[in-house]
């Protein structure tokens, strides 16, 4: 067998390409560049759910086993006391992230991360919103590599080269807040860094469009403009965000597909939203499959995913991001200050 044939054969064996991907490789299709230096995530054994103390108030869905969806009831905090409670919930959430993040290094399991999230949340007399949400047994979601969303923490140790979207949410003083942070584990390849940076950039672009009277469609167009020149990154049109506050999953549903009819909704002063585009690697059309573990989704071709999401409060002149390291970041349109940095890649104290 020729040296060239051996090289091709070994490449295919290492990457474990399907027949379709072999054809893509030979034809120069970007899909052929699927890296062999990160793990494709499958399910590993996990531990039982933690039981929070009875003196910490829990959301109603922990008893009813379903989330109450209140149609057309937006989370608008025109009462200063309600707004203060939302801000406190976001502050506690940020503290939980800041406490957990230094421990996220190669070798730790996502189950151990979940335990840390649970302990840090309970320590602050808050309840981890994801725990028992639709009977979910964990306090956070850890979507690693090819897992699109709602990755269930398990016994697999994180490895250098992984990327993880850590999804956190807390319920404090009757208010929910959400945060999703894309995290590189150890040394990752340039493609992974590009995916994470672009996810943050897309979130910034979407948040910049928030203001009283603006349409959700403006965020979708802003994300599209951000991604149009980004190599090998595509939008997950099925994820985006929602309203949040007293309800965990309040209207409106936010999608970043510019053709989505739901995007005709307006934003209102003092409305709280959880906003964050989800991105995939590669140009090709991405297919998603539902795993047998809850609502956990994976890409069919094992392309990696990243999401950056923040809880924000819409104002008359712009938006305030409540879950950044400095929670009073104000995008004041009247003053022209449309800048926000969510890209401190290597600073553990800021996201």
């Amino acid at each position: 067998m020729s040296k060239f044939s051996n090289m091709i054969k070994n490449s295919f064996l290492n990457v474990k390409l399907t027949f379709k991907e072999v054809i893509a490789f030979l034809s120069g299709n970007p899909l052929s560049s699927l890296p062999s230096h990160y793990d494709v995530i499958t399910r590993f054994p996990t531990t039982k759910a933690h039981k929070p103390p009875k003196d910490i108030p829990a959301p109603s869905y922990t008893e009813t086993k379903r989330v109450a969806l209140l149609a057309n009831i937006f989370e608008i905090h025109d009462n200063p006391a309600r707004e203060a409670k939302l801000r406190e919930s976001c502050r506690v959430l940020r503290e939980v992230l800041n406490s957990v993040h230094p421990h996220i290094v190669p070798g730790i399991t996502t189950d151990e991360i979940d335990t840390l999230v649970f302990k840090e949340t309970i320590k602050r007399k808050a309840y981890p919103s994801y725990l028992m949400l639709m009977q979910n047994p964990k306090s956070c979601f850890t979507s690693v590599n090819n897992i699109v969303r709602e990755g269930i923490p398990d016994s697999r140790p994180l490895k250098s080269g992984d990327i993880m979207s850590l999804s956190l949410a807390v319920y404090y003083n009757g208010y929910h807040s959400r945060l999703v942070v894309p995290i590189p584990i150890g040394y990752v390849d340039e493609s992974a860094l590009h995916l994470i940076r672009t996810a943050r950039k897309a979130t910034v672009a979407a948040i910049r469009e928030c203001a009283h009277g603006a349409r959700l469609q403006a965020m979708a167009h802003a994300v599209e403009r951000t991604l149009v020149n980004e190599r090998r990154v595509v939008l997950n049109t099925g994820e985006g965000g929602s309203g949040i506050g007293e309800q965990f999953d309040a209207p409106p549903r936010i999608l970043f597909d510019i053709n989505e009819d739901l995007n005709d909704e307006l934003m209102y002063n003092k409305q709280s939203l959880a906003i964050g585009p989800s991105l995939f690697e590669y140009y090709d059309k991405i297919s998603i499959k539902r795993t047998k573990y809850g609502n956990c989704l994976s890409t069919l071709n094992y392309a990696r995913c990243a999401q950056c999401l923040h809880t924000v409060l819409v104002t008359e002149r712009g938006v305030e991001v409540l879950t950044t390291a400095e929670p009073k970041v104000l995008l004041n349109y009247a003053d022209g200050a449309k800048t926000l940095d969510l890209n401190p890649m290597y600073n553990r104290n800021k996201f």
Side-chain angles (χ1 to χ4, degrees), residues 85 115 160 166 203 237 264 297 301 323 343 345:
K85 288 182 178 180
T115 298
S160 184
L166 176 63
T203 299
T237 56
D264 283 338
L297 302 179
N301 67 345
T323 45
N343 189 37
M345 179 72 70

Side-chain angles (χ1 to χ4, degrees), residues 134-162:
M134 305 299 286
Q135 302 184 57
N136 169 55
K138 295 298 176 179
S139 301
C140 65
F141 289 122
T142 50
S143 301
V144 180
N145 295 343
N146 55 289
I147 300 301
V148 179
R149 73 171 193 196
E150 300 187 14
I152 305 295
D154 56 37
S155 61
R156 175 189 178 272
L158 292 175
K159 297 181 180 180
S160 184
D162 288 337

Side-chain angles (χ1 to χ4, degrees), residues 163-331:
I163 62 172
M164 177 179 69
S165 293
L166 176 63
S167 186
L168 303 175
V170 302
Y171 180 71
Y172 184 72
N173 280 344
Y175 279 76
H176 296 277
S177 54
R178 284 182 65 200
L179 176 63
V180 182
V181 180
I183 301 174
I185 309 300
Y187 294 97
V188 301
D189 60 277
E190 183 56 39
S191 179
L193 287 178
H194 176 65
L195 180 64
I196 290 173
R197 291 189 188 109
T198 307
R200 291 193 172 116
K201 189 187 300 184
T203 299
V204 170
I207 289 174
R208 284 176 179 171
E209 300 302 320
C210 293
H212 176 65
R215 293 190 182 276
L216 299 180
Q217 188 76 19
M219 292 195 290
H221 283 287
V223 171
E224 183 188 45
R225 289 193 300 271
T226 300
L227 299 183
V228 69
N229 294 320
E230 295 294 343
R231 283 191 327 113
R232 303 177 68 176
V233 174
V234 293
L235 177 68
N236 174 10
T237 56
E239 300 288 329
S242 66
I244 193 165
E246 290 181 287
Q247 306 166 80
F248 180 77
D249 192 11
R253 186 182 181 198
I254 300 171
L255 299 174
F256 294 103
D257 183 352
I258 60 173
N259 299 313
E260 177 56 58
D261 292 339
L262 293 174
N263 288 336
D264 283 338
E265 292 277 5
L266 295 176
M267 290 177 264
Y268 301 97
N269 186 36
K270 299 299 181 181
Q271 182 177 17
S272 54
L273 302 168
I275 298 173
S278 172
L279 306 182
F280 300 124
E281 278 187 304
Y282 308 118
Y283 291 120
D284 276 42
K285 182 178 179 181
I286 301 290
S287 296
I288 298 174
K289 63 179 179 180
R290 183 177 297 276
T291 69
K292 59 182 180 180
Y293 305 101
N295 290 320
C296 180
L297 302 179
S298 171
T299 51
L300 276 173
N301 67 345
Y302 308 126
R304 290 176 291 191
C305 316
Q307 184 180 22
C308 177
L309 179 145
H310 282 272
T311 298
V312 307
L313 185 68
V314 178
T315 67
E316 288 185 348
R317 297 180 297 174
V319 64
E320 192 171 350
V321 187
L322 303 179
T323 45
T324 51
E326 295 82 18
K328 294 186 178 180
V329 177
L330 179 65
L331 304 185

Side-chain angles (χ1 to χ4, degrees), residues 7-65:
M7 179 184 70
I8 295 297
K9 178 182 177 182
N10 290 336
S11 297
F12 294 160
L13 288 175
N14 289 337
V15 183
K16 298 181 181 178
L17 297 174
T18 65
F19 176 76
K20 179 180 177 181
E21 292 162 347
V22 170
I23 298 302
F25 180 90
L26 296 175
S27 63
N29 190 300
L31 182 64
S32 64
S33 303
L34 282 168
S36 58
H37 47 269
Y38 69 82
D39 287 356
V40 171
I41 303 303
T42 55
R43 193 71 173 93
F44 288 79
T46 188
T47 57
K48 295 181 180 180
H50 296 287
K51 292 185 178 180
K54 293 183 179 180
D55 63 330
I56 294 181
S60 60
Y61 55 72
T62 60
E63 299 294 335
T64 62
K65 297 184 180 180

Side-chain angles (χ1 to χ4, degrees), residues 12-144:
F12 294 160
L13 288 175
N14 289 337
V15 183
K16 298 181 181 178
L17 297 174
T18 65
F19 176 76
K20 179 180 177 181
E21 292 162 347
V22 170
I23 298 302
F25 180 90
L26 296 175
S27 63
N29 190 300
L31 182 64
S32 64
S33 303
L34 282 168
S36 58
H37 47 269
Y38 69 82
D39 287 356
V40 171
I41 303 303
T42 55
R43 193 71 173 93
F44 288 79
T46 188
T47 57
K48 295 181 180 180
H50 296 287
K51 292 185 178 180
K54 293 183 179 180
D55 63 330
I56 294 181
S60 60
Y61 55 72
T62 60
E63 299 294 335
T64 62
K65 297 184 180 180
R66 65 184 182 87
V67 180
L69 298 178
L70 305 178
N72 299 321
I73 299 180
F74 295 132
E75 290 287 348
I76 297 177
H77 310 279
D78 48 5
N79 181 310
R82 294 185 65 204
E83 182 180 331
K85 288 182 178 180
L86 175 69
R87 291 177 180 277
E88 278 296 291
S89 178
C90 292
R91 178 189 61 79
V92 169
L93 176 60
R94 187 71 209 192
E95 288 181 359
V96 171
L97 172 64
N98 289 344
S99 297
V100 171
H101 190 271
H103 300 280
I104 301 176
V105 295
I108 191 172
T109 67
T110 50
D111 224 354
E112 290 169 336
I113 294 172
D114 176 75
T115 298
L116 286 171
V117 169
F118 176 81
K119 289 181 177 179
E120 292 296 333
T121 305
I122 296 302
K123 182 194 300 184
R124 292 165 174 81
K125 302 299 181 182
Y127 183 93
S129 298
Y130 288 128
L131 184 60
M132 301 313 296
L133 174 68
M134 305 299 286
Q135 302 184 57
N136 169 55
K138 295 298 176 179
S139 301
C140 65
F141 289 122
T142 50
S143 301
V144 180

